[in-house]
């Protein structure tokens, strides 16, 4: 049996496909004599574009990060619909004011060329004479993947085509199957069990319809062409069934690609699936876990062994872990094992933003030096609207402590939530100059309504009934009712802060980003006094000494967020004559100096400790996750 697995644009060009690595491993486990190839068409596309257009890394990054505007998928829409210059005037009008100078012309050029690339890619796939072609599709891969599958079926009608991936979950997979007849089957949900079962049921070209009907979540066609949608599995796979990926020759292919001169490659692994926080409190805007929220993590020893085996095989020390959230038990089990491994690993993980400094230090010692903590906002009320389970001051504490430890932080500032008001942002915006020395967000982004999120499933939360995002009408030639089942992003009425407030927020975030490289604030605790050193451009002091015992006590207490009342109670227990007025005056003075951040009834000091931490590892060049283009 010959199987070809395909990773189309616009998947990341700095890491292999975890999904295809897992499927390759599973196919070879079940069918040891099978021939399994992976076509890294995302890397092929980079080389093809450079050859035909002189495409640059910056242009690729822009296109790859344009998922929420539809630009990346629209580039492949003519190839998908087999109609040259598909919706060119209509989509070009959407680009006005949304893309940098020159990118409109480049986008149109890519749109014109995409059918050639897709046809050449499909021809190479067919030339391998595969029995089965499996396509993975997540986020912006859909249009390119559908276009390639259409040509594969045209060139080799006997080839069995299968789709899987996040874009195939739940009703999306059923919609793909019924609207695109060149897809023979769609695996919905986790594929480790279903895909080998599907291969068994279709081996040697004979289709066992009884066996197909027993594969949970599968969408398939009967001999007379009728679409069948099997119920999805009621429970997710247990952690013991989650296998390590087999990446084959990906890293050799990356080294030969132009992408190898653009970005350093990294390993991608998983230690868990689901989200333990989301299982208790599903963040209102998050649709990432689809049908299976239940949290499952691998045995820590097994995960470390799998990770180190991949590191040794591929000689790659940069690692991204795809988990939605780290298993907190790993801090006492997995992390010490990695710390003892002797490898100079640089690992990225998603965490919760309430981790303490000692926990960040534990992670850093294990090589986990880059985190995405899901900070999202610096208003406690807005964070409650998101059901984040954290306060603004705890988010600021995380930013401060990450800088102390040397951990790189990535985050986005979201706005536009039902129930938020200008007043929730006004005081925060005023205090942002005090945070210029801490890692800024990538930008200020209006929240999008995603399938599977509470905002999508529960219109009563404030957005009302969602509609498929308008840009999808320029990508798919489908009626609205079918788009409603197919797509991931939805349009809703705008909620939240006013245009006037947004006109304050966005420049304030931009100022933070611009000021960060030249901003520094640290504190040195010398026992009997504390010295703060400041270079932030928004403040005119450079050295501040705290010598009064009451001041040093208050400052040390503010290492963690405190309410003024709790601060007074604890300080008064250690010093005679402390009054509420004195504490209030001190906090007001420190706020004017940018020493503290106060919000939601709490206060926290914002100066990282200067204690000769390990040097901050320089950020690696990489393509960041897609951001929304519509931010007004």
């Amino acid at each position: 049996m010959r199987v070809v697995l395909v990773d189309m644009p616009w998947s990341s060009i700095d890491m292999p496909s975890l999904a295809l690595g897992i499927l390759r491993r599973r196919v070879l486990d079940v069918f040891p004599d099978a021939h399994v190839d992976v076509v890294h068409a995302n890397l092929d596309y980079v080389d093809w574009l450079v050859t035909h257009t002189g495409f640059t890394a910056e242009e690729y990054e822009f296109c790859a990060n344009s998922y929420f505007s539809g630009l990346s998928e629209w580039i492949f829409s003519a190839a998908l619909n087999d109609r040259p210059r598909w919706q060119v005037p209509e989509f070009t009008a959407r680009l006005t004011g949304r893309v940098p100078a020159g990118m409109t012309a480049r986008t149109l050029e890519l749109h014109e060329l995409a059918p050639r690339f897709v046809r050449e890619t499909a021809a190479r796939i067919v030339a391998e004479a595969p029995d089965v072609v499996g396509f993975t599709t997540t986020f912006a891969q859909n249009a390119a993947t559908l276009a390639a599958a259409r040509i594969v079926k045209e060139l080799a009608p006997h080839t069995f085509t299968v789709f899987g991936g996040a874009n195939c979950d739940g009703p999306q997979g059923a919609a793909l199957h019924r609207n695109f007849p060149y897809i023979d089957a769609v695996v919905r949900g986790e594929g480790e069990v279903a895909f080998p079962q599907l291969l068994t049921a279709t081996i040697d070209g004979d289709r066992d319809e009884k066996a197909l009907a027993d594969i949970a979540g599968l969408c398939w066609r009967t001999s007379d062409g009728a679409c069948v949608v099997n119920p999805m599995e009621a429970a997710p796979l247990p952690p013991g069934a989650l296998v390590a990926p087999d990446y084959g020759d990906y890293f050799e292919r990356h080294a030969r690609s132009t992408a190898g001169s653009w970005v350093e490659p990294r390993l991608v692994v998983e230690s868990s699936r689901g989200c333990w926080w989301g299982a208790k409190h599903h963040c209102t805007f998050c649709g990432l876990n689809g049908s299976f929220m239940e949290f499952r993590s691998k045995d820590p020893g097994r995960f470390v062994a799998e990770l180190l085996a991949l590191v040794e095989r591929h000689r790659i020390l940069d690692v991204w872990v795809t988990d939605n959230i780290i298993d907190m038990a790993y801090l006492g089990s997995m992390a010490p094992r990695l710390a003892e491994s002797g490898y100079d690993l640089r690992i990225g993980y998603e965490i919760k933003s309430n981790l303490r400094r000692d926990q960040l230090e534990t992670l850093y010692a294990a090589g986990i030096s880059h985190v995405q903590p899901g900070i999202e906002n610096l208003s406690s009320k807005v964070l409650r609207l998101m059901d984040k389970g954290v306060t603004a001051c705890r988010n600021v504490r995380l930013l401060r402590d990450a800088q102390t430890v040397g951990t790189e932080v990535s985050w986005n500032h979201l706005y536009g939530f039902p129930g938020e008001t200008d007043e929730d942002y006004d005081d925060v915006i005023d205090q942002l100059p005090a945070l210029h020395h801490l890692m800024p967000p990538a930008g200020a982004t209006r929240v999008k309504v995603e399938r599977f999120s509470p905002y999508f499933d529960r219109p009563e939360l404030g957005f009302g009934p969602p509609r498929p995002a308008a840009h999808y009408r320029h990508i798919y030639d489908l009626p609205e009712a079918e788009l409603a089942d197919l797509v991931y992003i939805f349009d809703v009425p705008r909620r939240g802060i006013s245009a006037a407030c947004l006109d304050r927020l966005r420049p304030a975030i931009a100022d933070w980003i611009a000021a960060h490289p030249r901003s520094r604030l640290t504190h040195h605790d010398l026992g009997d006094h504390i010295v703060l050193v400041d270079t932030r451009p928004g403040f005119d002091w450079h050295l501040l000494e705290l010598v009064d015992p009451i001041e040093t006590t208050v400052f040390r207490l503010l290492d963690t967020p405190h309410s003024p009342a709790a601060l007074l109670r604890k300080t008064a227990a250690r010093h005679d004559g402390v009054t509420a007025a004195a504490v209030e005056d001190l906090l007001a003075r420190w706020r004017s100096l940018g020493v503290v951040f106060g919000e939601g009834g709490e206060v926290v000091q914002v100066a990282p400790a200067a204690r000769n931490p390990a040097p901050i590892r320089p950020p690696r060049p990489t393509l960041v996750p897609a951001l929304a283009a519509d931010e007004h």
Side-chain angles (χ1 to χ4, degrees), residues 96-160:
T96 303
R98 298 170 186 250
V99 302
M103 276 309 300
T104 297
R106 180 64 95 184
T107 300
L108 294 175
E109 181 183 20
L110 300 185
H111 180 79
E112 295 271 2
L113 290 172
R116 280 181 55 192
F117 170 76
V118 169
R119 186 163 287 276
E120 291 176 18
T121 300
R124 283 194 294 109
I125 293 169
V126 170
E128 297 189 34
D131 301 295
V132 176
V133 179
F135 294 92
T136 184
T137 175
T138 298
F139 293 135
Q141 288 182 285
N142 236 20
T145 303
L146 285 165
R150 181 179 66 81
I151 303 300
V152 165
K153 204 67 173 175
E154 173 189 306
L155 297 176
H158 63 282
T159 302
F160 195 80

Side-chain angles (χ1 to χ4, degrees), residues 504-527:
R504 293 187 64 220
L505 175 65
R506 295 188 66 190
I509 296 293
D511 288 346
W512 186 354
I513 295 169
H516 179 253
R518 63 184 191 276
S519 297
R520 178 178 176 231
L521 174 66
T522 57
H523 83 270
H524 304 249
D525 194 329
L526 302 175

Side-chain angles (χ1 to χ4, degrees), residues 414-617:
L414 301 181
Y415 67 88
F417 294 88
E420 72 179 16
T421 66
D422 291 5
E423 290 72 25
D424 301 324
Y425 287 80
D426 287 339
D427 193 44
V428 172
I429 294 171
D430 289 341
Q431 295 185 80
L432 291 187
L435 307 182
H436 282 181
H437 59 296
L438 304 179
M439 184 60 67
T445 304
R446 183 177 293 277
V447 65
K448 300 293 182 182
V449 171
E450 302 174 349
R451 185 183 298 278
F452 304 116
S453 70
Y455 279 140
F456 176 79
D457 292 327
R458 299 171 56 194
E460 69 273 14
L461 290 178
F463 276 118
R467 295 186 59 188
H471 66 258
Y472 289 118
R473 293 194 292 272
H474 305 300
I475 298 169
Y476 301 101
D477 188 15
L478 293 173
E480 185 90 352
E482 291 300 327
L483 289 176
D485 282 345
L486 179 70
V487 305
Y488 185 71
I489 304 297
F490 292 81
D491 285 339
V492 289
R494 289 184 175 177
R495 300 290 189 241
I497 56 176
S498 69
C501 184
L502 184 55
D503 285 343
R504 293 187 64 220
L505 175 65
R506 295 188 66 190
I509 296 293
D511 288 346
W512 186 354
I513 295 169
H516 179 253
R518 63 184 191 276
S519 297
R520 178 178 176 231
L521 174 66
T522 57
H523 83 270
H524 304 249
D525 194 329
L526 302 175
D528 61 341
H529 68 290
I530 298 171
V531 178
L532 291 91
V533 179
D534 180 42
T535 67
R536 294 166 297 174
F539 299 90
D540 59 5
W541 63 274
H542 300 293
L543 191 68
L544 179 66
E545 290 191 79
L546 309 181
V547 296
D548 182 275
I550 293 176
E551 290 188 350
T552 57
T553 294
V554 171
F555 186 87
R556 289 172 183 140
L557 287 170
L558 288 178
D559 187 67
T560 58
H562 277 72
S563 68
L567 198 60
L568 172 63
R569 184 176 66 254
K570 293 180 181 180
T571 305
R574 303 178 191 187
H575 302 281
D576 294 332
V578 179
T579 66
V583 171
E584 290 173 4
D585 288 345
L586 179 60
L587 293 178
R589 178 161 60 87
W590 281 355
R591 171 167 166 161
S592 70
L593 297 174
V595 172
V596 298
F597 177 88
E599 201 284 331
E602 291 184 317
V603 184
V604 67
Q605 66 89 359
V606 300
R611 54 190 185 97
N612 298 318
I616 296 178
R617 304 174 189 227

Side-chain angles (χ1 to χ4, degrees), residues 335-336 338-340 343 359-368 405 617:
L338 278 182
E340 295 165 1
Y343 287 95
Q359 294 172 320
L360 292 172
E361 289 171 337
T362 296
L363 294 178
Y364 192 91
I368 300 169
V405 172
R617 304 174 189 227

Side-chain angles (χ1 to χ4, degrees), residues 7-51:
D7 188 18
M8 290 294 288
W10 295 86
S11 63
S12 296
I13 60 170
D14 61 346
M15 66 180 80
S17 166
L18 176 62
L20 296 188
I22 289 172
L23 289 186
R24 186 173 193 271
R25 176 73 275 146
R26 285 291 296 136
V27 173
L28 292 174
D29 284 345
V30 178
F31 305 97
D33 296 327
H35 187 91
V36 183
D37 285 329
V38 177
V39 174
H40 307 291
N42 56 337
L43 300 182
D44 296 338
Y45 190 47
V46 168
D47 296 337
W48 195 91
L49 286 178
V50 170
T51 298

Side-chain angles (χ1 to χ4, degrees), residues 60-199:
Y60 189 95
E61 183 172 1
F62 179 85
C63 292
N65 292 338
S66 65
Y67 171 65
F68 286 100
S69 70
L71 183 147
S72 50
E73 285 206 275
W74 180 80
I75 286 170
F76 285 93
S77 61
L80 164 61
N81 295 294
D82 196 21
R83 288 144 100 177
R85 298 184 60 79
W86 168 259
Q87 294 268 324
V88 166
E90 296 85 351
F91 195 77
T92 302
R94 289 186 58 84
L95 299 181
T96 303
R98 298 170 186 250
V99 302
M103 276 309 300
T104 297
R106 180 64 95 184
T107 300
L108 294 175
E109 181 183 20
L110 300 185
H111 180 79
E112 295 271 2
L113 290 172
R116 280 181 55 192
F117 170 76
V118 169
R119 186 163 287 276
E120 291 176 18
T121 300
R124 283 194 294 109
I125 293 169
V126 170
E128 297 189 34
D131 301 295
V132 176
V133 179
F135 294 92
T136 184
T137 175
T138 298
F139 293 135
Q141 288 182 285
N142 236 20
T145 303
L146 285 165
R150 181 179 66 81
I151 303 300
V152 165
K153 204 67 173 175
E154 173 189 306
L155 297 176
H158 63 282
T159 302
F160 195 80
T161 55
V162 186
F163 271 45
N167 288 341
C168 300
D169 199 4
Q172 293 177 278
L176 278 168
H177 192 249
R178 68 174 176 264
N179 283 291
F180 301 100
Y182 42 82
I183 304 174
D184 291 311
V186 175
V187 175
R188 300 185 300 158
E190 298 167 307
E192 287 92 332
V193 175
F195 189 62
Q197 289 177 335
L198 176 60
L199 296 181

Side-chain angles (χ1 to χ4, degrees), residues 334-412:
M334 178 274 288
R337 286 179 169 90
L338 278 182
E340 295 165 1
S341 70
Y343 287 95
D344 185 21
L345 298 171
R346 181 158 57 182
I347 302 173
Y349 240 111
E350 292 194 35
I351 65 172
K352 199 164 178 359
S353 63
N354 60 356
L355 262 64
R356 304 184 309 270
R357 182 185 308 156
D358 63 302
Q359 294 172 320
L360 292 172
E361 289 171 337
T362 296
L363 294 178
Y364 192 91
I368 300 169
S369 57
H370 181 185
V371 298
Q372 288 187 349
I375 291 171
E376 322 296 10
N377 200 281
L378 296 178
S379 162
S380 295
K381 177 189 168 184
V382 178
L383 290 166
R384 286 194 298 274
L385 293 174
M386 300 183 202
D387 212 356
K388 291 292 294 184
V390 71
T391 66
C393 283
R394 289 184 181 274
N395 281 342
V396 170
R397 181 187 71 171
L398 184 283
L399 290 172
R400 183 202 67 200
D401 289 349
Q403 184 153 313
T404 295
V405 172
T407 302
E408 185 184 351
V409 179
S410 296
W411 65 290
N412 288 320

